[in-house]
Amino acid sequence: MKLKPYVVRIRTGKIYAGTTLVDDKPRADMFLPAWMFTVGLLCLMFGMIMGIVLVVLQISVILIVLATVLVLLGVAALLCWKNQTIYMLPNDSFEYSTFLGNKTIYRFSEIKGIKRGSDSTTLFVGEGKVHIESIAIVSDRLAERINKQLEELGGNEGELG
């Protein structure tokens, strides 16, 4: 039996787009795209290879430091891609996971406000903050529920989505 290349491309594309192969549903209601994983992996690999070559050849200490920074950026990108998510829960609440994997459950009714920056959006929820990167993929139902809560607070000047 031959492997059909177009099936591999379609499945790889679905994984890259952030959907699962089983049911074509996104992996969370808010998550970072798979290209963030690719960037992290490339930074990690190039940083490690560059660091090893530079140490063996005893080239510049400054370049070795730059290779180390590249490895750290790769690790940070991989952690962000893997951990930074929001899952909507059935009881009108959501679970937010930071890039380090710390999970907190918030109720939508606890949303106090929103602040949109050039690279991210911050939701002020209860005593905490929920950080949503501008590159994040946000489900329609999450955006609609957050916007509904913001409208109830008195205006939609800071809509999400």
Side-chain angles (χ1 to χ4, degrees):
M1 179 174 192
K2 289 186 175 181
L3 181 65
K4 297 179 181 177
Y6 66 89
V7 173
V8 173
R9 282 195 300 268
I10 290 171
R11 289 185 177 177
T12 305
K14 287 182 180 180
I15 292 170
Y16 198 75
T19 58
T20 60
L21 297 177
V22 178
D23 53 9
D24 290 335
K25 291 184 181 176
R27 64 184 181 104
D29 288 291
M30 187 281 299
F31 60 94
L32 295 176
W35 63 261
M36 183 78 152
F37 172 79
T38 305
V39 167
L41 199 57
L42 289 174
C43 285
L44 188 62
M45 287 178 8
F46 286 132
M48 289 173 56
I49 291 168
M50 189 168 88
I52 291 169
V53 169
L54 292 173
V55 167
V56 169
L57 298 178
Q58 297 179 351
I59 300 190
S60 171
V61 173
I62 293 173
L63 291 176
I64 294 172
V65 170
L66 289 176
T68 305
V69 169
L70 195 59
V71 167
L72 293 175
L73 285 174
V75 169
L78 291 172
L79 284 174
C80 285
W81 174 80
K82 182 183 181 305
N83 293 329
Q84 198 166 359
T85 58
I86 294 177
Y87 291 96
M88 288 183 66
L89 302 174
N91 57 352
D92 202 36
S93 59
F94 61 95
E95 180 184 70
Y96 170 64
S97 178
T98 65
F99 85 101
L100 291 175
N102 300 326
K103 296 180 181 182
T104 307
I105 295 177
Y106 295 107
R107 298 190 60 73
F108 284 103
S109 60
E110 294 178 317
I111 295 175
K112 297 178 181 179
I114 188 171
K115 179 182 175 186
R116 185 179 287 269
S118 61
D119 65 340
S120 64
T121 299
T122 303
L123 282 175
F124 298 97
V125 186
E127 298 296 319
K129 296 177 183 178
V130 173
H131 186 74
I132 301 173
E133 294 290 335
S134 60
I135 62 170
I137 298 168
V138 179
S139 71
D140 291 338
R141 70 183 193 141
L142 177 62
E144 288 169 5
R145 184 59 188 96
I146 291 172
N147 289 335
K148 179 182 173 189
Q149 183 61 33
L150 291 171
E151 287 175 9
E152 290 176 11
L153 289 174
N156 58 1
E157 65 278 350
E159 281 189 348
L160 182 67

